[in-house]
Amino acid sequence: MQALVAPRSRRPPGPRDGGLGFLRAAGAGSLLTYLGGLSERYGPVSSFRLGTQRIVFVDDARIVEEMLVTRQASFVRDRGATLLRELVGEGLLTTDDPQHVVRRRSMQPAFHRARVVRYAETIVRETERVMADWPGRPLDVGAEMARIALAAVGASLFGADLRGEATRVADVLARVLARGASLAAPLAFATPLLGPLHRLFPGRASVMFPRERAELDAIVAPIVRARRDADGDDLLSLLLSAREGGAALDEESVRNEVVMLILAGHETTANALTWTWYLLAAHPAALARVRAEIDDVLGERTPTFDDVPSLRYTARVFDEALRLYPPAGAFARRPLHDVELGGYAIPKMASVFVSPFVTQRNARYFADPLAFAPERWDAPPAERFAYFPFGGGSKTCIGEPFARLEAILAIATIAGRYVFERTDAEPIEPAAAALVRPGRPLTAYARRVRPYAGSVPPSRA
Ligand code: HEM
């Protein structure tokens, strides 16, 4: 009689180099290129050993959906969250259930449609303020988009003017990213050391980025203090009045969330906008269509929330920019128990990477995948998770509605007044680390194409 034993599933194929290729790529900031190569060579599920760890890479829309949505209860955040926690502390972006669902519930109302509608005016005003001093000087477009995104997040979510802090925040972030890139791989071995280190320095919020965390706290603490003393109607007020398990959030928890939202909420959108301008500069026909749409919908006006549904081609341009250059290029989960993915056996606590950057450029899902073609969004892709720039499931980006609104309004506000003329025509490659940033600055002049007709006079900006 034949035994009714399920056939043991196989381990996914992959390199047998002890993780050397991965370590080298992570150190050189080319993690995504490496992951793309794994998929090409070994197929949709690949894996290798790194020390005692098993690292798995998944480049398959259905399995991504399983991990992020259908079987999400079997997965928790991976070590990237440990690194982030060092900077932003314990909070929505770094916890798992049961805490995650409680905090998400506290913060979600700030991102509901009714609130987001009110952010539109703020976003347009902040965009106008930043762009008022553009003419006549060469711009680092990425830095200008970061100024806009930071100002928009600060004013909309915290009622705070963060325009003057853009350089400080960018500087902290650059240092963290540089150190984070070199630490990410060793962290695969060193994570268990962080607990004892924290016990050794109990007063320190961060043992890896103490200076950077202190600098961010210096920006955020006065904003939180000011709001404690005066009522408001934004995300910060929600956090201050939230009750979790019957108790209010302590000062540090509120500060953690504000620091996290400032970082998660501005760097991503700023990169997406920068890539959008890069692509539009290289595709004059698409830029002309965006401008024609703006002329048609807005005429001389600046946009409002109600205009957004009519800016359909502009939205497709942004979707396509997010496909080719998704700001969150890769992220990872760990299974809580042994699981099977795509017919392969994945051990408990393996690091399982997914990559919007790699999957969204896969020819299995997108025809001519490297071409910039906003028209492809006239029909959505057949597989829902062939495109997941904002993740999915219970940990999907809470800021997606805000980011989309901000992007469309900023593109329409800017393109209604200026065209960017690049200072050189050389291609810019992405720094293909976990964050997809331009490998070198996109520099351009903003040439005015229409006399100023906005609501904020340039002299007040
Ligand atoms: C184009 C812009 C953005 C992109 C591409 C993006 C991408 C992502 C992705 C992929 C995740 C999921 C990560 C994971 O599952 O491990 C995420 C989570 C998150 N994002 Fe965004 N994001 C953007 C803008 C924003 C904005 C504007 C905010 C806030 C104002 C924000 C706040 C967050 C938060 C708080 C989380 C964690 C959510 C949770 O775990 O419940 N993001 N984002």
Side-chain angles (χ1 to χ4, degrees):
M1 203 177 124
Q2 218 179 336
L4 287 175
V5 178
R8 276 171 64 104
S9 45
R10 298 160 294 148
R11 177 181 297 156
R16 293 166 175 271
D17 62 354
L20 250 164
F22 175 78
L23 286 176
R24 249 189 243 130
S30 55
L31 175 71
L32 301 179
T33 320
Y34 179 75
L35 293 178
L38 282 185
S39 170
E40 263 171 36
R41 211 161 146 212
Y42 299 104
V45 185
S46 51
S47 92
F48 55 89
R49 275 193 93 77
L50 177 67
T52 56
Q53 279 296 304
R54 181 140 296 272
I55 314 270
V56 180
F57 176 51
V58 168
D59 178 20
D60 180 282
R62 290 203 181 157
I63 304 177
V64 169
E65 183 165 14
E66 278 183 47
M67 286 175 56
L68 298 184
V69 187
T70 26
R71 292 164 68 193
Q72 58 180 306
S74 298
F75 293 87
V76 290
R77 296 187 196 277
D78 193 40
R79 282 166 192 77
T82 311
L83 197 61
L84 264 175
R85 197 175 293 121
E86 278 297 296
L87 185 65
V88 303
E90 194 75 343
L92 184 69
L93 188 60
T94 54
T95 50
D96 280 289
D97 285 338
Q99 301 94 321
H100 176 264
V101 66
V102 176
R103 184 59 53 83
R104 179 105 186 184
R105 221 174 278 140
S106 300
M107 293 168 69
Q108 191 71 63
F111 295 94
H112 284 162
R113 192 176 182 276
R115 295 253 183 168
V116 170
V117 172
R118 284 191 274 148
Y119 301 148
E121 215 177 291
T122 312
I123 291 167
V124 172
R125 187 189 66 224
E126 296 303 325
T127 306
E128 290 189 293
R129 283 184 167 164
V130 170
M131 72 188 200
D133 72 351
W134 282 353
R137 64 186 178 97
L139 303 172
D140 174 342
V141 176
E144 296 304 313
M145 294 306 115
R147 280 174 72 199
I148 290 175
L150 196 57
V153 165
S156 307
L157 301 183
F158 315 121
D161 185 350
L162 291 178
R163 277 176 298 156
E165 305 293 359
T167 319
R168 253 165 93 191
V169 174
D171 180 48
V172 168
L173 199 60
R175 274 184 276 144
V176 168
L177 286 176
R179 204 153 354 122
S182 47
L183 284 173
L187 203 67
F189 306 103
T191 313
L193 291 179
L194 283 173
L197 272 175
H198 274 284
R199 282 193 286 282
L200 212 61
F201 302 104
R204 279 201 193 172
S206 166
V207 289
M208 282 161 79
F209 307 118
R211 248 187 73 199
E212 288 77 9
R213 173 67 210 212
E215 285 174 54
L216 292 173
D217 272 347
I219 297 172
V220 163
I223 300 173
V224 177
R225 222 174 297 124
R227 181 48 52 84
R228 272 203 196 282
D229 301 335
D231 277 352
D233 183 25
D234 52 23
L235 178 58
L236 184 48
S237 317
L238 263 183
L239 285 169
L240 288 169
S241 61
R243 287 275 173 285
E244 291 181 1
L249 304 195
D250 58 30
E251 176 88 18
E252 192 183 330
S253 301
V254 174
R255 248 189 288 145
N256 285 350
E257 297 298 7
V258 175
V259 168
M260 180 279 284
L261 283 159
I262 286 177
L263 295 182
H266 96 282
E267 162 77 10
T268 42
T269 317
N271 281 330
L273 282 169
T274 308
W275 286 116
T276 302
W277 297 121
Y278 172 75
L279 290 163
L280 285 175
H283 297 87
L287 177 61
R289 249 187 102 175
V290 167
R291 291 189 45 78
E293 181 171 86
I294 292 168
D295 274 350
D296 204 35
V297 175
L298 304 176
E300 297 278 312
R301 291 188 294 115
T302 47
T304 65
F305 183 84
D306 292 334
D307 294 316
V308 172
S310 308
L311 295 166
R312 292 183 50 176
Y313 185 74
T314 307
R316 280 164 168 54
V317 165
F318 185 63
D319 287 342
E320 183 68 345
L322 283 177
R323 184 183 70 81
L324 285 168
Y325 301 103
F331 49 94
R333 295 282 191 272
R334 284 184 288 163
L336 286 166
H337 46 81
D338 293 353
V339 290
E340 194 176 287
L341 290 177
Y344 292 109
I346 313 294
K348 174 181 170 177
M349 289 309 184
S351 287
V352 189
F353 280 80
V354 295
S355 168
F357 184 87
V358 174
T359 303
Q360 293 173 181
R361 289 168 172 236
N362 189 323
R364 264 193 298 152
Y365 303 119
F366 294 98
D368 199 1
L370 300 186
F372 173 68
E375 311 72 48
R376 70 170 86 238
W377 293 101
D378 292 347
E383 292 286 350
R384 162 70 187 83
F385 276 82
Y387 183 73
F388 57 109
F390 293 98
S394 66
K395 287 171 183 146
T396 195
C397 178
I398 200 171
E400 176 177 352
F402 184 88
R404 282 191 182 282
L405 178 72
E406 179 185 343
I408 307 299
L409 291 174
I411 296 169
T413 307
I414 294 167
R417 300 287 174 268
Y418 294 110
V419 285
F420 286 120
E421 287 177 346
R422 290 189 58 188
T423 55
D424 67 279
E426 295 304 309
I428 297 181
E429 293 300 327
L435 287 183
V436 179
R437 315 171 101 203
R440 66 183 172 84
L442 171 67
T443 47
Y445 283 94
R447 184 168 60 78
R448 204 166 254 168
V449 289
R450 179 171 285 155
Y452 191 83
S455 51
V456 182
S459 55
R460 266 181 42 204

